[in-house]
Amino acid sequence: MKRVFSGYRPTGDIHLGNYLGAIRNCVAMQHQMDENLICVVDLHALTTLEDIKNLVGNTRLMAASFIASGIDLTRSHIFAQSHVPAHTELSWIFSCITPMGWLNRMTQFKEKAGKHRENACLGLFAYPVLMAADVLIYKATHVPVGEDQKQHVELMRDITGLFNREFNKDVFALPEPIITGPATRIMSLRDGTAKMSKSDASDYSRINMMDDADTLALKIRKAKTDAEALPDTAKSLEFRPEAANLINIYAALANQTPDHVCKMFAGQYFSTFKKDLTDLLIAHVLPIGQEMHRLLQDKGELDQILNRGANHASALAETHMKEIREVVGLLKPLGS
Ligand code: AMP
Ligand code: TRP
């Protein structure tokens, strides 16, 4: 049984980098797995102040972006982390066996806490323990994560071994990370050396999945390029980061290699290429954005989908939680 668990923080606007770097992979993976659990990790968002704003809206937005991108709701279950309380229950049990020394080594905590480590909240420190519980409560076999989360998955695997040894039973199998890596690293439209990001002050630096056709066209028209013609190999774009980024975007959307795209446009100038890129963006991004708008207008439907996802996830989590409580040695409540 291949069960994949992926977690996404509800952090606000969804841009083309999120779509090509994460969402699209998740949609593709659902056909290779038996079960796909997609969790909007709203409790993790509570650990960082900037993400607390508009949690309700951002949770729905994250869910809408996956559904609109082609999640098959018969194979995939999308839900909010806070709707399945077993995550936090298991997290507490794990936090009672995980040495603080292990958590002290986490580079993300060090980065996020910065100089004010003593003032950082306990939740930020315990973040990877909750993440381990997210995956293990479902006995998920596969965890797709970006490079920056590799260390957290290692810790999750260490906790798996520790728990099984501590309680003398192989309750959990080791989850396998799927490192999604920087395969499609989409850069800013204004600066080819900076990642496309929602935190960039200029909206012209990114394509938002909910941009309309005119905005998409304007952003591509204004995207930074150069006056040279396009070469016939991607390698020749090494020192032209903005040009390379637009070629990469085209290639990712058209499911072609950057080399192939260069051959298609070799000798032509950006004026021509940008028109074609705009058409491609309109064909791919616009329908997803429109579906997101529609879903977000009907919050009732969206909340129903999230509710169905949470019901499915809760049933599975509760079966495992019963076993875990027993293994740990807690008194069973009457009637269970
Ligand atoms: P974030 O909102 O930065 O936490 O990113 C959410 C997901 O989108 C992660 O899996 C990232 O790897 C992916 N992502 C974010 N920005 C980009 C980008 N510019 N290019 C490719 N993937 C990205
Ligand atoms: N920590 C992940 C991130 O910042 C999100 C996350 C939370 C997650 N729980 C998870 C990812 C479980 C994979 C599995 O992106």
Side-chain angles (χ1 to χ4, degrees):
M1 169 84 178
K2 286 186 187 166
R3 179 179 290 136
V4 59
F5 181 98
S6 33
Y8 299 91
R9 278 176 305 137
T11 51
D13 284 349
I14 313 288
H15 56 72
L16 189 67
N18 300 134
Y19 174 68
L20 292 175
I23 299 175
R24 200 174 62 157
N25 296 340
C26 181
V27 173
M29 205 170 341
Q30 63 184 342
H31 302 295
Q32 296 146 23
M33 298 286 168
D34 301 306
E35 191 174 55
N36 200 18
L37 299 167
I38 304 170
C39 185
V40 186
V41 290
D42 50 358
L43 296 174
H44 274 111
L46 287 181
T47 60
T48 37
L49 275 179
E50 69 273 16
D51 295 331
I52 291 188
K53 286 174 240 139
N54 196 18
L55 259 184
V56 168
N58 288 344
T59 299
R60 289 190 181 125
L61 185 67
M62 186 53 87
S65 68
F66 277 91
I67 299 163
S69 301
I71 279 297
D72 172 353
L73 291 168
T74 62
R75 303 180 71 87
S76 299
H77 306 275
I78 186 156
F79 61 99
Q81 186 185 29
S82 64
H83 291 184
V84 186
H87 289 235
T88 42
E89 185 179 353
L90 183 58
S91 174
W92 176 257
I93 292 176
F94 284 165
S95 68
C96 294
I97 59 168
T98 308
M100 302 243 294
W102 289 8
L103 293 170
N104 264 328
R105 286 200 289 272
M106 294 296 112
T107 52
Q108 186 169 297
F109 173 72
K110 289 185 205 164
E111 272 163 30
K112 288 201 173 175
K115 287 195 200 89
H116 311 286
R117 225 160 129 169
E118 291 300 312
N119 290 334
C121 66
L122 177 60
L124 190 65
F125 190 64
Y127 183 109
V129 179
L130 178 58
M131 188 167 157
D134 291 341
V135 173
L136 295 175
I137 189 67
Y138 301 107
K139 302 193 179 184
T141 54
H142 294 82
V143 199
V145 284
E147 284 285 333
D148 63 328
Q149 297 297 311
K150 244 165 111 170
Q151 200 187 24
H152 289 165
V153 178
E154 272 309 312
L155 185 90
M156 178 188 297
R157 288 166 61 88
D158 290 343
I159 292 177
T160 306
L162 183 66
F163 183 96
N164 291 345
R165 278 196 305 280
E166 186 79 25
F167 297 103
N168 248 320
K169 191 170 177 212
D170 283 339
V171 176
F172 303 112
L174 281 180
E176 290 298 327
I178 302 175
I179 305 293
T180 42
T184 344
R185 198 172 144 85
I186 305 300
M187 311 309 280
S188 154
L189 300 179
R190 311 296 288 172
D191 172 2
T193 62
K195 239 176 76 165
M196 183 178 285
S197 153
K198 70 165 172 38
S199 50
D200 194 310
S202 165
D203 200 48
Y204 286 105
S205 71
R206 66 187 152 258
I207 301 285
N208 292 315
M209 294 305 286
M210 290 170 78
D211 282 344
D212 60 23
D214 288 345
T215 310
L216 290 173
L218 183 64
K219 284 182 175 174
I220 294 300
R221 215 163 44 241
K222 281 180 161 272
K224 190 173 162 194
T225 44
D226 50 49
E228 287 175 52
L230 283 158
D232 61 359
T233 63
K235 190 155 187 346
S236 320
L237 290 170
E238 204 178 340
F239 300 106
R240 295 165 68 186
E242 285 82 15
N245 185 38
L246 293 186
I247 294 283
N248 279 342
I249 292 176
Y250 190 107
L253 289 171
N255 264 323
Q256 303 278 3
T257 62
D259 252 339
H260 182 91
V261 178
C262 282
K263 292 211 167 50
M264 283 167 66
F265 291 95
Q268 301 196 43
Y269 291 90
F270 276 102
S271 46
T272 322
F273 172 76
K274 279 184 166 183
K275 280 202 191 79
D276 283 22
L277 177 59
T278 302
D279 290 345
L280 199 60
L281 273 170
I282 288 178
H284 281 80
V285 173
L286 206 62
I288 297 177
Q290 283 170 343
E291 181 61 5
M292 285 173 72
H293 275 294
R294 190 192 70 75
L295 284 163
L296 288 165
Q297 255 161 33
D298 191 348
K299 296 195 177 63
E301 183 191 344
L302 205 49
D303 290 356
Q304 283 294 339
I305 295 174
L306 284 168
N307 194 47
R308 280 199 295 277
N311 286 342
H312 177 89
S314 294
L316 183 59
E318 197 39 47
T319 318
H320 294 158
M321 212 48 235
K322 276 205 177 98
E323 179 193 0
I324 295 162
R325 288 186 203 110
E326 197 174 317
V327 169
V328 168
L330 296 165
L331 176 68
K332 261 193 211 168
L334 281 181
S336 73

